[in-house]
Amino acid sequence: MTEAMVRIEDAHKRFGKLEVLRGVTTNIARGEVVVLLGASGSGKTTLLRCINHLETLDGGRIYVDDEMVGYREAKGKLVEDKHSAIAKKRAQIGMVFQRFNLFPHLTAIGNVIEAPIRVKKMAKSDAEELARQLLTKVGLAGKMDEHPNRLSGGQQQRVAIARALAMQPKLMLFDEPTSALDPELVGEVLDVMKELAAEGMTMIVVTHEIGFAREVADRVVFMDEGVVVEEAPPLELLESPQHERTKEFLSRIL
């Protein structure tokens, strides 16, 4: 078993003629928090979605916990894995999206227990106990029986985080988890993410929250036009970027 939780090797992805990922290679260590920075269209979200095979690769390989995601080798060639095998690997990777994607007809606790019961075949009583623990952990002990339309955006996103954690993942992916929130609600979501980081969860976070990157990330990876331009510890990359493209990007957002 390697020290890397995620290994990305020469990842390529096209949408028609547009090449969105152009040979991305990087590793994420176990327990590491990595923030992906870059302008819109730089490939950050696509890379995140390729890690759990929500998007297929056009070249290269991605491994999570030493297992290739989405593909297997057959007679020396890569072929897409069976749906059941992909689902099994994807169940170990939690993902939190910009939009909360909660089931509107289910309560907060109903949203959290859905996947453990359906996917992991967990007993309902066990799933409910786990959900109560997780909703309390994210500060929603008093909101378990509320439906999403009765929750603020920050509360909905915290339910979404609890829902992802209910699958007891080994890796968490966050795709701009605060970008759809009113500014005063951003902190409550970032606080939950900081707590997860402190507990040792391996996390890859696409965000423009520079304060979070500075305070919580072990490493910042700057992407531009589908490639990794520069990666370094946050203070190093944010205070003394080496590449002109990184300097230009940071001068616009800082």
Side-chain angles (χ1 to χ4, degrees):
M1 192 174 283
T2 68
E3 284 303 306
M5 175 60 78
V6 182
R7 285 186 288 136
I8 302 169
E9 300 177 354
D10 196 28
H12 288 259
K13 175 64 184 176
R14 291 179 208 86
F15 294 105
K17 292 182 178 179
L18 179 64
E19 194 169 16
V20 180
L21 298 179
R22 300 188 295 127
V24 174
T25 296
T26 191
N27 289 349
I28 290 87
R30 296 174 193 280
E32 188 177 25
V33 178
V34 171
V35 164
L36 299 183
L37 280 185
S40 179
S42 59
K44 310 180 304 294
T45 291
T46 299
L47 181 62
L48 217 59
R49 291 174 64 85
C50 286
I51 291 171
N52 65 359
H53 203 64
L54 288 176
E55 299 288 356
T56 57
L57 287 172
D58 291 310
R61 302 177 182 206
I62 295 177
Y63 297 84
V64 173
D65 204 18
D66 287 331
E67 293 189 333
M68 197 173 357
V69 178
Y71 301 91
R72 57 190 168 86
E73 294 214 25
K75 298 179 181 176
K77 291 185 177 180
L78 284 186
V79 295
E80 193 165 14
D81 221 337
K82 296 176 183 173
H83 178 74
S84 58
I86 293 170
K88 186 177 178 183
K89 290 173 184 173
R90 193 180 282 151
Q92 300 176 332
I93 304 169
M95 186 155 185
V96 178
F97 300 87
Q98 291 181 12
R99 299 289 170 180
F100 324 121
N101 296 340
L102 299 178
F103 296 115
H105 63 290
L106 297 178
T107 61
I109 196 168
N111 269 278
V112 177
I113 67 174
E114 183 79 358
I117 291 173
R118 287 181 177 270
V119 179
K120 298 186 87 171
K121 310 302 180 188
M122 190 181 285
K124 186 176 180 182
S125 59
D126 293 339
E128 287 179 341
E129 176 58 29
L130 176 62
R132 287 191 190 95
Q133 291 173 13
L134 290 170
L135 287 168
T136 300
K137 178 188 181 77
V138 299
L140 294 173
K143 301 289 185 181
M144 297 192 189
D145 296 320
E146 298 285 1
H147 284 78
N149 66 352
R150 298 289 300 271
L151 300 173
S152 71
Q155 290 168 337
Q156 289 184 60
Q157 192 63 293
R158 285 184 280 154
V159 173
I161 293 173
R163 178 179 62 181
L165 292 173
M167 291 298 285
Q168 298 168 312
K170 52 183 70 172
L171 168 68
M172 285 287 287
L173 309 176
F174 293 87
D175 184 15
E176 299 199 33
T178 60
S179 66
L181 300 179
D182 292 332
E184 68 269 21
L185 302 177
V186 168
E188 62 192 50
V189 173
L190 294 180
D191 285 345
V192 172
M193 294 168 63
K194 289 173 188 176
E195 186 179 339
L196 287 178
E199 292 170 357
M201 174 64 77
T202 309
M203 296 163 55
I204 308 175
V205 184
V206 173
T207 185
H208 292 297
E209 295 291 339
I210 296 299
F212 176 85
R214 195 187 303 271
E215 183 182 345
V216 182
D218 297 297
R219 185 160 43 106
V220 175
V221 175
F222 175 69
M223 293 182 65
D224 187 51
E225 296 186 347
V227 298
V228 172
V229 173
E230 189 171 349
E231 52 186 312
L235 286 180
E236 189 178 318
L237 188 136
L238 296 172
E239 303 292 343
S240 306
Q242 300 300 302
H243 197 281
E244 284 304 318
R245 185 67 191 91
T246 318
K247 292 176 185 176
E248 180 189 336
F249 174 78
L250 290 173
S251 71
R252 288 209 314 270
I253 67 167
L254 289 177

